[in-house]
Each structure stands twice: as C-alpha cells, then as structure tokens.
C-alpha cells in the first residue's frame, strides 16, 4: 500500500536532487509563484520551555519580569515601556503576537510531580496517569491529531533539545493514551529523513518495496498465528503501520549555510553550552519543513521536565536550570533567592530570543501569518510549580484565525480551549463539519478561546 | 510501571489504615503472569547482536554509530522493559537505513566478509540455500521454516535486480541480509508456543542470552538447545553458570545497578558557584563509579548478597573519593576498607552528594531514595504544587528545618515524619559532598530517628551505619532488590502473581543467598521458561 503524500495546496518545489544531494542556495524567488500570491495552509509549531518562567510571585517577593504591563494592543510597548520584560525579545514581531494571560493548566490531578503534570497535559488536555516521573498523558496531543488527519503516514516533527537526563525527558507528543512519542535531537537526521525518502536509484526503491512486502506478510502471519495479548496485538499493529513506502519526496532544500551548520550538529547534542545553537538548527529545519508542506505540525521541547540545562549568559555558565527555578539551587523544596530569580529571567530571555529566531525563519519563508507558532511552558511560577496563568504566546494568526498584536485576559479558563482553537485554525473540524470544541479528556468545559479569535 | 511491594504498604497516615497481611497469606500464590510474545531488541541488544553475528570487533564504530542514531525509547524504570520497546514509524526508518548500510558494510571489505561469510558450494541453488539457511539461523536465532527458505531464497535469486552489485552470490547475499535485518524475526525475540507451555530450546536460549549477555545466543547455547539440554533445570543451570561467569554478565549487572540506583544522576552531581573549589570536574563521575565498583565487587567478585550490599565497608577509591572518606588519595584506584563511620550502599558519598543542595544536605530527597529504591516502601504522590515555605529561622539545622516544614503537626505528618524524613536524617552525618561530619553549622548532628516499615513496625537507629545493619536484616530490603532484579532480567513489571515467587527469593536472600544464586533461581523459574498470560 503506497501512501501519496498528497496535499491539496501543494507547496513543494519541483526541483529534485539527482543522485547526491545538491546544495542549492535558498532564494525566496525559488518559491513557486502561487506560494507568494496564494494562502499557504495553516500549520502549528510549538516551542516549549521547562521549569516555568519568572513571573510575579509575591511569596518570594519577586516582581513581574515576564509579561508586559498592560492588556490590550501591544503597539510599540515591547520596544519601549516593556523593554524590561522577557517577552520584549519578541519586539520585532509585535504585530504578529497574541499574548494570552491567565490561561490555566488543570491543577488537581495529583500526579505527584509538577514537571510531568504540566508537560503531559500541555498539548493533550488529558489528565496525566499517576506515577510521578513515569507519569504519562492519557490522550493524544494536538500535533498527532493534526498529522494523522492532514498527512497520514507522515509523523509530526518532534524535536528534543538538550541532554536527556533519564528522569523526565520527553512528554509533549503523544500518539494516543500513554503512547509517548520521543523526540529527535539531531536536526541533520530529521533533515535527511525529510529529503531522502525515496531514491533516484531504482534498485533501492525496488528492494525496499520487496522487503516491505515480506515484512508485512511476516507481521500478518504473527498476528494470526497465536492468541495474542492486547499489548502484543498493539505492538504488532504499530509496527505494521510503520512499514510503508514513502512516495516521491520533496525537493525542498536548505541553503548552503544551513547545510554546513547541520553537518556535525550531532556532536553538539550533549553540550549544554550549545543548546541555543542546536535549538536554532532544529527551528531552521522545522521552518523549512513547514514551508515545504512536509508536515503541518511540529514541536520543539527545550529540555526535559525539570531540565537541568546549564545555560550560558554573558559568557558565564549558570547553575542548573532546575535549581535556579527552585531558587535555592536544589532540586528539593524551594526557598527565595533574588539572584536566582534574575537568572531565571535571563533564561526566559534566552527562550524569547530563540522563539524570535523561529519567527524570523517563518517570516523569511513567507509563512509567518499562516502558521500558529506557540511559545509555552510546563508551568507558570517555577518555584511553586503553579499552573494557573501558564504562559501561552501565539505568533502568527493561522491565516487570520487568531487576534494579533494584543495582550488578552483569559480570565482563568482552561487551556483545552486554546488547543481547540488551534486545531480549528489549522483547518480541522468534527466529522459533521462543526468546529472542534472538545479536544482532550473533557475534564474542563468545552469550546474555543473566544477572546483569542480574530 | 509501579513496583508491587510484596509486603503491602500501609497508608501514609498517622494510624495504620489496615493490618498488614499475615506472613503465610494463602491468597498469595505463584500464578500466571503476562509475558510478551514479541520483545523487541533494545538498541544495545541490537548493537551487540549485529556485532556478534558478523563477528565484528566489540567496539565497532559503524554499528555503534547506528545504534546511537536510533529513535530513542521512552524512559522506563529499566531499559529492558518490554512496554517501551516498540517499533514506531521513526525507528522503522532507522532500522531500514541501518539494514541497507550494514549489508554493504559487512560484505564490501574482504577481511570483514570472510570473518562470517559461510562456505558456499559451486552451484547457484546450493549457494542460495546454504547462505539463506546458515545466515537465517543466526539472524532469526532458530532454523528457518520451509516457507522462509522459499521467500528469502527468492530474494537471493533476485540479487542482481535488488542491488547494484554484479557478482550474483554477493548481490544475493546482500539482498537477503538487508531483508533479514528488517524482519520481525530478527528485531523481536518471539515466543510461538501455546499459552502455558514451556518455551522451545531456541526460545529459552534467546531469553537466557538476552537477559544475561544482552546479545544473540552463542554457539554453545544453540548447541545446548538443539541437544535438548535446555529442557531441564540442570541444563539451564549449567548454562546460567557459564553465562554469569563471563564479563558480559558483569556488564549487564553493572547496567542493572546503574539504573537501579540512578547512578546517571549521581554522575552529574555538580556543585556550582565555586562552593567547593577543591572538587575536580570528575567528581560526579568518581562518586558514581565508587558505588558501581563496590556493587560489582560484592555481587560478581566476592559472590555475596544483599546484606553485604547494605553493610560491607569495602570500597574502591580514587583521588576524588578517598578524601571524602578521610583516606589518603591513591594514584589510580585502590581497594580499601572504609572507616567505621561508613557501611554499605546508603552511606556512600555519591548519594549524599547528589541528594544535596549547594552546601546543605537534603534529607527529604535522601529519604525518598532510600524508601523507594532501597526498601521499596510505596509512598503516595507528593502534592503536585506546594505552598512556599517560610524562610528558616537563623541557626536552625537542616534537620530542624525539615521537621518544622514537614514533620509532626504539618501536612507532611505521616509520610514525611514516619517514612521519608527518618531515612534522610540517618544520613545527616554525611555532608553535601558526602564527607563525614559531626556538626551541622555549630550544632551537633542528630542522625538518630525511627523509620516505619511497610508492615507498620518501626526501626530505631542512631545513624546511617546502624540503619544499614538493621535494614540488612529486614525481609523488605531483600524483597525490594529481588523484585527489581527480577523486573530487569524478566523485562517486565513484577505483578501480584509474582508475590510468592518474590517472597521465596527474598527469604533465600535474607538467609544468605548470593545475588548470583538469586539470578540462578530466577532463571530456572517457570515464569522465565514458559509462556503465560494473565488469566481473564
């Protein structure tokens, strides 16, 4: 069974590499003419920060350093009045931003670990299973939903940036209940997978097709040969689903500079001092994938839950991020520390600059407005693991679906409403054509986030 | 997956929720447990299997490179757990790319090829059948069926079409190799027998080999399988003894302990802000290795058991760790006996150093580690978010602060006061980098406390050394190690129907059985050698 990667509004380049890959300089003029005139299909990219942000926390005497001062139109405030706030790093894109305050991730499920609790719910709106650091979400995530409806057979892009710590690593993307999708760390690997699906060499295509036939037969025989437990059945089904031919691959190429940067990215993956460089490369590949229509959903998870990445600020290596977010540099019970609060703010700015880099790439490819880019975090207040007023920053409108240039008050609604709105912005609907209003496990009132809609 | 605690944990409240079950509970019985029919090779097992099948060097960079590139599995308690071993779309593409590359790699260099390539007859059909039969048996860990001979034979015949090579038998071999390396019969260890039936000799050989060596069965195991010697407990024991004596089993047990005690975290112990300028950059690695080497010695060299893990003062120290124990730094690594203010596992510097802040100890984290990972006392979930705590009154010791925030009279009463905090207080003599101390600031250290066990009894102790001795003599400690080792070797969670099995082993351990003897007992158990599903 061959899957055609069909997409009604195709944005693929006609150019294909013959044999060895050609590094074509990427020029906007190489975009198909209609791409510049017509509307690109909406896509989603989620950039998730660990350990919360440094926002107002009276218990520790910490002032607001993340959000702008006012609600309403942003105007130029990020460049002047609010230049001391972390979101000011997005000042070049103010007209495209929607800052959503007072949106909550449900708090009461008691998974016993603040870091899995928020992370698991973030894109699933499903209660986490119990089990502290081993906790998993009990539903699929929005990137999975978008991918399986809009381009079945092609998984969403799932990036993980930073060291894996063997504690709580991946937790954003779910194929289904308890079926965590782990991220790729190497942007070159993802790029090669995007561009190398089929080959110009006939024998490779032929041998792959032959082997796939044999493998599918073997799997089917195994499925039928004995009484299988539910888990075994599920195991084989997932495997069988994975065995498929990839039809013609896109000829979408990165520019020479990016290709050179990608080469050797693999050596940087475990070096904390290189996380920003790696994140930017992951974003470059993601933006390219969206621009070329390879996928319609992508996520970039910056560190695991409770990430202990040591960022570099002004040439100095900071203590572990998790310790900073707890203020007293331990992984245990937090206590106030003004210096750590300031350091957390610096880390928020780093994430803001990274998100700005992503927006810049989307803008270069001419797809910023058609994308729903989202900067979010597992929790709001790091030290106390609070989930009320968790940061959600939308950039791009999904072709006019979202408000732009504003700071809005979600007034304590739950974030499932934002997820519903995102799915609708991308063009998903219920089977009867109505807007999606009930993504997730239904633990919170359904509906969209009306205040966010244009 | 959560661990079953054989001795039922009481609720973490002021009073006992319910009486613990009597020791000879007749409702606890060896029962059928769900095992998987299809256990995918872990990435490490894949790597080792490919290296061994093609007789490559143990550290072959190309094969290691492929395994390191594979899509990563979700975290689980142990990397052997079948629940997380799935073939996803990304991993399948990885396997495909690796198979294509490896088929060329093992054949394109003459010396590499000759290390494994079978002697082929002169006639083409003979070449096809010999190659497919010989290599198929190695890759699938059993003889091929007639159907498989046909399918892969036809692939061999189409070698010139399916590859760009021009020598027919090489092209055919390459075509077959890249196919077999993608077959579920290579990628999974499969069990085909009926429910409740004993595994075949080949299936047992694979289970033994992947449990103890993390690689494909060697020729001796296959011979034993074919001769029917794996059908008897004596035959199994003979092979287990052989496998355990090999350095590969040592590496497997090292991996078990590394995961059991989260030594990966200990390795990353970092003290920043110039608090301890005397610590070298290798501090974390050294304190973790000290623990790993200790356990390796106890289990694999000295042939001892769980009690010794808790109490022995043998240690292997280097320039980083010797000073922590008040010993002169050696050149290289040297075996020592630690001073009497130390005992076994829980008193080792690495745990105290990791579960600590900058200059303060962290009794709560130390206590949680002991409860969950050393004695398997089930603790309920902590609150997901917590109220900000008041700043400590000046002059409070860490213990006093922890007591004030989580002890009797607070919301932490029960869980913290009875289970977590006492275990942590036991280690208060070991500072934030694991050195012995008598003072916390200016106040004398108070490491005396009383910890509640899962069955409701309390153990009173004066310090970590005493606690270690007491715990070494508790069935719960032995059961904890047993069930985690079982989970690791069996590749699945320990469940209710394992209870009697776990108790038998725990009692044997308490009576002095070595860890190696426990391994032997686990691998001759019917649960390991037969196929079951949970009764509906």
């Amino acid at each position: 069974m061959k899957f055609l990667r069909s997409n009604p509004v195709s944005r693929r380049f006609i150019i294909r590499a013959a044999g060895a890959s050609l590094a074509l300089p990427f020029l906007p003029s190489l975009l198909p003419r209609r791409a510049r005139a017509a509307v690109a299909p909406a896509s989603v990219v989620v950039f998730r920060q660990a350990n919360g942000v440094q926002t107002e926390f009276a218990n520790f005497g910490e002032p607001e350093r993340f959000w702008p001062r006012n609600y309403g139109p942003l105007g130029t405030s990020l460049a002047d009045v609010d230049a001391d706030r972390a979101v000011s790093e997005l000042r070049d894109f103010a007209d495209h931003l929607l800052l959503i305050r007072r949106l909550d991730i449900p708090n009461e499920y008691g998974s016993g670990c603040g870091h899995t609790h928020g992370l698991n719910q973030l894109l699933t709106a499903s209660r986490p299973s119990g089990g502290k650091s081993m906790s998993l979400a009990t539903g699929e995530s929005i990137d999975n939903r978008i991918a399986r409806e809009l381009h079945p057979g092609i998984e969403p892009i799932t990036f993980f940036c930073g060291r894996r710590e063997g504690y709580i690593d991946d937790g954003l993307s779910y194929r289904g209940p308890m079926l965590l999708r782990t991220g790729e760390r190497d942007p070159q690997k993802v790029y090669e997978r995007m561009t190398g699906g089929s080959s110009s060499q006939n024998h490779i295509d032929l041998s792959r097709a032959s082997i796939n036939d044999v493998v599918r037969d073997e799997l089917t025989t195994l499925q039928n040969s004995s009484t299988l437990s539910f888990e075994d059945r599920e195991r084989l089904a997932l495997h069988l689903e994975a065995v498929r031919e990839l039809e013609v691959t896109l000829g979408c190429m990165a520019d020479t500079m990016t290709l050179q940067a990608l080469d050797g990215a693999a050596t940087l993956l475990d070096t904390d001092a290189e996380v920003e460089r790696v994140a930017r490369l992951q974003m470059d590949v993601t933006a390219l994938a969206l621009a070329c229509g390879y996928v319609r959903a992508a996520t970039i998870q910056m560190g695991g839950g409770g990430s202990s990445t040591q960022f570099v600020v002004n040439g100095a290596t900071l203590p572990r991020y998790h310790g900073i977010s707890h203020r007293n540099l331990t992984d245990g019970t937090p206590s106030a520390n003004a210096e750590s609060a300031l350091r957390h703010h610096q880390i928020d700015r780093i994430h803001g600059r990274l998100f700005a880099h992503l927006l810049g790439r989307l803008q270069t490819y001419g797809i910023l407005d058609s994308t729903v880019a989202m900067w979010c975090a597992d929790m709001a207040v790091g030290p106390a693991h609070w989930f009320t007023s968790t940061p959600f920053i939308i950039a791009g409108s999904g072709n006019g679906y979202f408000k732009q240039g504003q700071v809005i008050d979600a007034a304590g609604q739950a974030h499932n409403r934002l997820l519903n709105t995102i799915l609708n912005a991308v063009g998903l609907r219920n089977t009867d054509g109505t807007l999606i209003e009930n993504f997730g496990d239904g633990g919170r009132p359904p509906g969209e986030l009306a205040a966010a809609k244009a | 997956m959560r661990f079953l605690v054989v001795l039922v944990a009481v609720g973490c409240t002021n009073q006992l929720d319910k009486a613990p079950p009597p020791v000879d509970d007749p409702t606890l019985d060896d029962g059928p447990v769900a095992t998987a029919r299809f256990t995918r090779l872990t990435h490490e097992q894949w790597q080792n299997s490919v290296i061994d099948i093609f007789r490559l060097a143990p550290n072959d960079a190309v094969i290691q490179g492929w395994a390191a590139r594979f899509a990563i599995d979700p975290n689980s308690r142990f990397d052997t757990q079948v629940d997380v071993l799935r073939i996803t779309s990304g991993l399948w593409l990885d396997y495909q790319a690796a198979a294509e590359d490896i088929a060329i790699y093992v054949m394109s260099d003459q010396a590499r090829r000759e290390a494994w390539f079978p002697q082929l007859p002169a006639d083409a059909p003979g070449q096809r059948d010999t190659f497919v039969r010989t290599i198929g048996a190695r890759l699938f860990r059993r003889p091929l069926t007639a159907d498989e001979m046909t399918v892969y034979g036809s692939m061999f015949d189409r070698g010139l079409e399916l590859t760009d090579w021009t020598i027919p038998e090489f092209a055919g071999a390459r075509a077959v190799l890249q196919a077999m390396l993608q077959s579920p019969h290579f990628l999974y260890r499969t069990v085909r027998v009926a429910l409740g039936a004993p595994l075949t000799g080949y299936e047992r050989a694979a289970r033994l080999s992947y449990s103890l060596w993390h690689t494909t069965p060697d020729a001796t195991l296959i011979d034993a399988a074919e001769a029917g010697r794996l059908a008897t407990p004596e035959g199994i024991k003979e092979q287990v003894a052989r496998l355990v004596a090999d350095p590969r089993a040592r590496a497997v047990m090292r991996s078990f302990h590394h995961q059991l005690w989260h030594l990966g975290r200990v390795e990353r112990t970092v003290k920043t802000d110039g608090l301890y300028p005397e610590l070298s950059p290798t501090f974390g690695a050294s304190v973790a290795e000290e623990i790993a080497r200790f356990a390796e010695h106890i289990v694999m060299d000295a042939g001892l058991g769980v009690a010794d893990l808790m109490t022995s003062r043998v240690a292997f120290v280097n320039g980083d760790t010797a000073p922590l124990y008040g010993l002169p730094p050696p050149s290289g690594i040297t075996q020592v006996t630690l001073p009497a203010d130390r005992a076994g596992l829980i008193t080792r510097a690495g745990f105290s150093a990791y579960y600590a802040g900058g200059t303060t100890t962290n009794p709560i984290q130390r206590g949680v580690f002991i409860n969950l990972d050393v004695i398997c006392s089930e603790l309920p979930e902590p609150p997901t978010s917590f109220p900000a705590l008041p700043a400590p009154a000046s002059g409070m010791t860490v213990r006093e602060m922890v007591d004030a925030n989580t002890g009797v009279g607070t919301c932490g009463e029960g869980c913290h006061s009875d289970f977590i905090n006492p275990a942590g207080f036991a280690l208060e003599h070991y500072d934030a980098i694991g050195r012995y101390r008598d003072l916390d600031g200016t106040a004398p250290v108070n490491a005396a406390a009383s910890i509640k066990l899962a069955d409701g009894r309390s153990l009173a102790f004066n310090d970590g050394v005493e606690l270690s001795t007491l715990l070494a003599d508790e069935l719960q400690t032995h059961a904890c190690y047993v069930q985690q080792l079982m989970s690791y070797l069996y590749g699945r969670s320990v469940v209710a129907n394992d209870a009697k099995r776990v108790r038998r082993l725990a009692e044997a351990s308490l009576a002095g059985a070595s860890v190696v003897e426990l391994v032997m007992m686990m691998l001759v158990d019917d649960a390991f050698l037969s196929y079951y599903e949970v009764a509906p």
Side-chain angles (χ1 to χ4, degrees):
Chain A
M1 184 169 52
K2 291 184 183 244
F3 280 95
L4 278 173
R5 229 178 293 159
S6 63
N7 185 333
V9 184
S10 172
R11 303 209 56 203
R12 292 186 198 99
F13 288 118
I14 311 302
I15 305 152
R16 288 182 67 187
S21 69
L22 276 184
L24 296 175
F26 182 82
L27 300 168
S29 61
L30 288 178
L31 278 170
R33 284 196 65 80
R34 58 174 154 68
R36 281 182 269 137
V39 168
S43 301
V44 171
V45 49
V46 175
F47 174 57
R48 165 266 178 210
Q49 175 174 349
N51 294 330
V53 299
Q54 204 268 275
T55 184
E56 184 185 354
F57 185 42
N59 297 21
F60 278 11
E62 295 179 12
E64 179 59 55
R65 291 198 181 96
F66 187 79
W67 297 106
R69 284 158 174 75
N70 299 312
Y71 287 99
L74 273 169
T76 58
S77 64
L78 295 185
D80 42 64
V81 149
D82 291 316
D84 59 339
R85 303 298 168 93
V87 293
S88 70
E89 298 291 348
L90 306 178
R91 57 191 159 277
D92 292 343
F93 303 96
D95 295 340
H96 299 273
L97 296 178
L98 178 64
L99 276 51
I100 306 174
R101 302 190 63 172
R102 303 218 296 150
L103 193 65
D104 297 349
I105 293 178
N107 191 29
E108 76 277 11
Y109 293 131
S111 65
C113 175
H115 296 286
T116 53
H117 184 87
L119 182 57
N120 283 330
Q121 291 188 72
L122 202 46
L123 300 186
T124 65
S126 297
R127 66 172 54 221
S129 62
K132 302 192 198 71
S133 64
M134 292 294 156
S135 174
L136 296 170
T138 53
E140 75 172 331
S141 52
I142 53 168
D143 57 314
N144 192 77
R145 174 73 178 266
I146 292 167
R148 69 177 170 79
E149 288 206 20
L150 297 183
H151 46 77
I154 311 295
E155 299 237 297
I157 281 185
T158 312
F159 272 124
F160 184 98
C161 187
R163 277 179 295 108
R164 279 208 169 85
E165 302 178 26
Y167 182 51
I168 304 159
D169 293 317
D170 310 76
L172 261 192
S173 182
Y174 281 84
R175 292 192 171 81
M178 321 288 272
L179 294 175
L180 176 62
R181 174 185 284 112
T182 57
E184 284 293 347
R185 296 199 301 155
D186 184 353
Q188 186 184 41
K189 180 183 174 187
V190 173
Y191 175 74
E192 284 175 1
R193 179 148 300 164
M194 259 162 59
T195 54
S198 82
S199 161
S200 59
Q201 297 178 278
N202 286 333
H203 69 87
I204 291 182
D205 286 344
L206 186 57
S207 83
R208 284 180 186 171
S210 305
I211 292 171
N212 290 352
D213 284 341
V214 169
V215 170
R216 277 192 287 259
D217 281 345
E218 288 177 338
L219 285 171
T220 311
T221 306
L222 288 173
Q223 282 179 326
N224 298 332
S225 63
S226 330
T227 53
L228 298 184
S229 67
F230 173 79
E231 286 80 15
D232 275 328
R233 203 166 287 290
E234 197 184 60
R235 234 164 244 136
L236 292 186
L238 185 66
H239 186 174
L240 197 52
E241 206 178 283
V243 178
R244 72 224 182 271
E245 278 80 67
L246 295 180
E247 238 324 307
V248 96
T249 192
L250 81 176
C252 200
M253 295 294 227
D255 60 88
T256 323
M257 238 172 49
T258 303
L259 283 176
Q260 282 169 356
L262 286 175
D263 192 30
T267 58
L268 306 177
L269 303 180
D270 281 321
T271 308
D272 281 12
E274 301 286 0
V275 282
E276 293 183 55
R277 186 199 308 259
V278 173
R280 284 193 294 270
L281 285 172
Q282 292 180 348
M283 287 169 165
D284 293 347
V285 170
T286 299
L288 184 65
L290 295 176
C292 296
Y294 176 67
V295 290
R296 300 279 293 277
T299 60
I300 300 168
Q301 189 180 319
M302 199 68 189
S307 162
S308 73
T309 302
Q310 293 187 253
F311 291 97
V312 176
V313 172
N314 297 328
T317 303
L318 297 186
R320 299 188 303 200
Y321 183 17
H322 189 212
I324 288 174
S325 79
H326 279 215
R327 300 300 183 254
N328 55 6
L329 303 185
T330 72
D331 295 324
T333 316
S335 53
N337 183 290
E339 183 181 30
S340 289
L342 279 167
R343 281 171 162 167
H344 198 157
H345 171 67
Q346 291 296 339
I347 293 172
D348 294 342
R349 284 186 174 275
I350 288 175
H351 287 79
R353 288 194 290 273
L354 287 172
F355 191 58
H357 175 87
L358 173 64
L359 301 185
R361 293 302 252 173
L362 296 172
Q363 194 168 57
T364 304
Y365 292 137
I367 57 168
L368 177 54
D369 194 59
S370 61
T371 306
V372 178
M374 180 164 80
W375 172 19
C376 56
D378 295 349
M379 56 185 67
V381 172
H385 292 177
W386 283 353
F387 303 98
T388 48
S389 211
T390 320
F392 290 93
I393 291 155
I394 302 283
S397 70
N399 290 330
Y401 206 83
F402 280 96
K403 276 192 179 109
Q404 300 279 265
Q406 302 267 343
V407 185
I408 62 169
D409 180 2
Q413 297 176 75
H415 83 299
N416 64 306
R417 288 196 160 163
L418 176 60
L419 299 186
N420 289 329
T421 316
I422 292 172
L423 291 174
N424 291 327
V426 172
L428 269 57
R429 293 292 183 270
N430 292 319
T431 46
D432 62 2
T434 55
L435 292 171
I436 292 173
E437 297 198 325
N438 58 355
F439 179 78
D441 69 1
R444 281 292 186 277
E448 292 188 298
L449 189 61
K453 292 180 71 171
Chain B
M1 302 290 267
R2 305 296 295 281
F3 280 102
L4 173 79
V5 174
V6 175
L7 309 168
V8 175
V10 297
C12 237
T13 59
N14 301 1
Q15 304 155 357
L16 299 182
D17 277 339
K18 51 188 173 189
V23 171
D24 296 309
D25 187 343
T27 65
L28 291 180
D29 203 357
D30 274 343
V33 293
T35 53
R37 281 198 185 280
F38 312 110
T39 307
R40 201 206 76 204
L41 302 183
T42 67
H43 297 338
E44 185 204 353
Q45 290 168 347
W46 179 95
Q47 172 184 305
N48 292 342
S49 302
V50 171
I51 284 174
D52 287 344
I53 288 166
F54 297 105
R55 286 137 201 193
L56 296 162
N59 55 355
D60 184 283
V62 167
I63 309 301
Q64 281 184 340
W66 276 112
R69 221 177 124 89
F70 284 167
I72 208 155
D73 297 313
N75 287 343
S76 60
R77 186 62 179 93
F78 299 112
D79 58 8
T80 55
Q81 303 303 284
V82 67
D83 285 349
V84 295
L85 298 176
R86 293 196 171 92
I87 297 183
T88 61
S89 139
L91 181 57
W92 176 78
L93 289 172
D94 290 337
Y95 283 146
Q96 180 188 67
E100 292 170 358
D101 189 63
I102 288 165
I104 298 171
Y105 178 66
V106 297
M107 293 202 56
S108 56
D109 173 88
Q110 184 182 353
R112 261 200 311 265
R113 183 179 67 239
E114 287 176 354
W116 65 273
F117 203 87
Q119 194 88 352
L120 298 184
D123 65 304
Q127 290 176 340
R128 173 195 67 214
D129 291 344
T130 304
F131 186 86
V132 170
R133 185 185 328 115
T134 311
I135 297 309
R138 277 190 223 155
L139 278 163
F140 290 5
R141 304 175 284 270
R142 56 162 175 80
L144 263 54
T145 64
D147 281 344
E148 288 165 347
M149 287 292 296
T150 307
V151 165
Y152 288 100
S154 123
M155 207 162 266
F156 187 97
D157 286 339
R158 293 172 65 208
L160 298 177
E161 183 193 352
L162 297 175
T163 72
D164 57 355
W165 284 1
T166 54
I167 301 174
E169 63 271 27
F170 288 166
R174 177 180 156 191
V176 167
L177 278 187
Q178 66 188 18
M180 285 185 171
L181 285 167
Q182 295 178 62
S183 169
H185 297 294
F186 169 66
L187 295 171
Y188 296 107
R189 299 183 269 132
T190 61
V191 170
R192 308 293 294 273
V193 298
L195 190 59
L199 267 51
T200 66
Y202 294 112
E203 289 169 348
R204 289 177 173 202
R207 263 199 188 171
L208 288 169
S209 188
Y210 281 107
S211 288
L212 288 175
W213 281 4
H214 286 179
T215 191
T216 197
D218 66 357
T220 310
L221 260 177
I222 296 293
D223 288 344
E226 287 174 346
R229 289 202 297 276
L230 298 185
T232 66
E234 295 69 38
I236 297 282
K237 284 181 184 172
E238 188 186 347
Q239 290 307 313
V240 170
R242 179 179 74 90
L243 295 174
V244 162
D246 189 278
R248 306 186 124 184
R250 181 177 288 259
V252 166
M253 287 305 290
R254 181 174 259 266
S255 179
F256 167 62
H257 290 135
H258 195 269
Q259 297 177 61
L260 176 62
W261 301 316
H262 309 292
L263 295 184
R265 298 178 199 167
V266 178
E267 279 164 4
R268 286 191 295 271
T269 305
V270 155
K271 303 290 178 182
T272 52
D273 289 339
L275 290 169
Y276 298 97
E278 71 271 29
L279 297 187
S280 82
T282 55
F283 176 77
S286 291
V287 289
E289 175 61 19
E290 190 263 300
I291 295 167
R293 188 73 189 87
F294 161 67
E296 187 176 330
H297 169 82
I298 294 290
V299 170
M300 301 306 279
D301 296 326
L304 296 173
V306 173
D308 303 280
L309 282 172
M310 294 301 293
T311 59
S312 169
R313 282 157 45 201
V314 168
F316 296 81
V317 297
N318 68 0
D320 285 330
T321 49
L324 302 176
Y325 296 121
L327 300 169
S331 58
I333 299 179
T334 189
Q335 179 175 342
V336 297
T337 302
L338 296 180
D341 55 40
R342 302 282 174 167
L345 184 76
I346 66 174
T347 66
R348 298 301 163 113
F351 296 123
S352 290
Y354 179 74
Y355 296 115
T359 50
T360 52
T361 60
N362 193 325
I364 293 176
Q365 288 202 323
R366 293 171 179 186
V368 168
F369 162 65
I370 290 171
N371 273 275
L372 293 184
D373 296 323
V374 180
I375 61 174
C376 295
S377 275
E378 280 221 353
L379 300 175
E381 312 288 357
T384 315
S385 54
F386 30 79
L389 298 167
S394 65
M396 277 177 119
T397 63
V398 165
R399 175 169 179 155
E400 285 164 345
M401 209 162 55
V402 167
D403 245 340
N405 291 332
T406 61
V408 172
T410 71
C411 68
E413 183 173 346
C415 302
H416 278 273
S417 56
D418 296 346
F419 294 88
I420 298 172
N421 296 358
F425 295 154
L427 301 185
E428 271 296 284
H429 274 299
Y430 312 119
D431 71 9
I433 59 170
R435 288 176 305 207
Y436 184 83
R437 63 176 188 177
D438 277 315
L439 296 175
D440 179 1
T442 53
V445 163
N446 176 10
S450 177
I451 185 177
K452 199 176 263 187
L453 297 179
D455 64 359
R457 285 178 303 119
S458 287
L459 294 181
F461 52 87
N462 284 311
D463 59 26
V465 173
E466 268 195 40
L467 178 59
S468 298
T469 308
L470 292 168
L471 290 179
D473 214 27
E474 287 292 333
L475 186 65
Q476 181 175 344
T477 310
H478 294 260
C480 181
Y481 187 90
V482 156
Q483 74 189 22
Q484 299 197 85
L485 179 61
M486 184 180 287
S487 179
Y488 181 75
L489 291 177
Y490 285 7
R492 61 166 178 82
S493 301
V494 166
V495 294
N497 276 353
D498 289 310
K500 196 165 169 186
R501 182 175 294 122
V502 169
R503 169 164 297 142
R504 232 184 1 255
L505 287 157
E507 284 168 353
S509 180
L510 186 63
S514 70
V515 171
V516 167
E517 284 167 341
L518 297 177
V519 169
M520 181 73 77
M521 290 166 70
M522 284 179 198
L523 300 190
V524 301
D525 194 298
D526 203 38
F528 186 72
L529 298 175
S530 299
Y531 175 69
Y532 292 105
E533 277 168 19
V534 175

